[in-house]
């Protein structure tokens, strides 16, 4: 038996194909919440996109120092001075996956609605005196009236 590797489609070809179909995207969503902590992946994404999001938190802080519980980071650049990947940067924007939360927590519609309201309001304690420091980014999949999530 002969095993063959699938041909690798270059990142440039994918971007070009999207553009040929009228899709000029500037942001990237990591599949299955994986890749934003991998320097190789971030390097590729940063070549073709201005921003990238992941699905690991209900809030995105507009200044990286809001992540003090996760890191002592005060520099919002993608990489530190010694070349390490920063936890919070333009290629690791945090979001909340609505449908994943439903599945993981077995929420019915009223419980998911309550969680939605909680997520939307969670930014309020950070945004005071007219200054916006955090926003919720909510991620939906399969949205519509087809009788599915």
């Amino acid at each position: 038996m002969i095993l063959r590797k699938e041909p690798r489609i270059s990142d440039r070809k994918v971007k070009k194909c999207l553009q040929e179909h009228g899709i000029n995207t500037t942001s990237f969503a990591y599949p299955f919440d994986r890749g934003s902590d991998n320097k190789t992946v971030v390097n590729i994404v940063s070549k073709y996109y201005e921003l990238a999001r992941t699905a690991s938190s209900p809030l995105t802080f507009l200044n990286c120092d809001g992540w003090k519980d996760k890191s002592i980071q005060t520099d919002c650049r993608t990489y530190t001075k010694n070349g390490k990947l920063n936890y919070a940067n333009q290629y690791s924007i945090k979001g909340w996956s609505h449908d994943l939360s439903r599945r993981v927590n077995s929420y019915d519609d009223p419980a998911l609605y309550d969680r939605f309201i909680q997520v939307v309001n969670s930014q309020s304690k950070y945004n005071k005196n007219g200054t916006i420091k955090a926003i919720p980014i909510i991620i939906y999949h399969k949205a519509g009236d087809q009788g599915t999530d």
Side-chain angles (χ1 to χ4, degrees):
M1 172 163 45
I2 300 173
L3 295 175
R4 294 186 193 172
K5 285 185 175 179
E6 288 293 319
R8 186 174 190 288
I9 300 172
S10 79
D11 307 303
R12 188 171 311 150
K13 286 183 182 178
V14 170
K15 183 79 170 179
K16 186 176 183 217
C17 178
L18 288 170
Q19 288 172 336
E20 288 171 355
H21 287 86
I23 301 168
N24 188 21
T25 183
T26 59
S27 65
F28 180 83
Y30 294 102
F32 304 102
D33 194 24
R34 293 193 178 110
S36 67
D37 59 348
N38 182 309
K39 189 174 178 179
T40 302
V41 172
V42 171
N43 281 337
I44 292 168
V45 169
S46 68
K47 285 182 191 176
Y48 304 102
Y49 301 94
E50 295 173 21
L51 305 167
R53 71 128 183 100
T54 187
S56 56
S57 174
L59 287 179
T60 288
F61 290 90
L62 302 180
N63 202 341
C64 60
D65 62 0
W67 295 106
K68 289 187 181 181
D69 59 324
K70 301 281 185 181
S71 71
I72 56 170
Q73 179 181 339
T74 57
D75 182 352
C76 296
R77 290 179 293 182
T78 305
Y79 299 101
T80 64
K81 289 180 183 176
N82 62 4
K84 292 178 89 176
L85 194 57
N86 269 324
Y87 174 78
N89 64 72
Q90 73 193 63
Y91 299 104
S92 67
I93 296 170
K94 313 302 183 233
W96 175 65
S97 179
H98 180 267
D99 54 316
L100 178 63
S101 188
R102 175 191 288 275
R103 284 193 304 268
V104 169
N105 299 295
S106 301
Y107 288 143
D108 60 7
D109 287 345
L112 187 59
Y113 178 74
D114 289 344
R115 178 65 179 136
F116 172 83
I117 297 298
Q118 183 184 29
V119 167
V120 169
N121 290 332
S122 66
Q123 49 75 35
S124 297
K125 66 182 176 183
Y126 300 100
N127 301 335
K128 302 211 187 279
N129 303 323
T131 301
I132 306 292
K133 293 185 176 185
I135 59 171
I137 295 179
I138 301 171
I139 303 158
Y140 288 92
H141 298 91
K142 302 181 205 168
D145 59 354
Q146 308 302 319
T148 60
D149 287 351

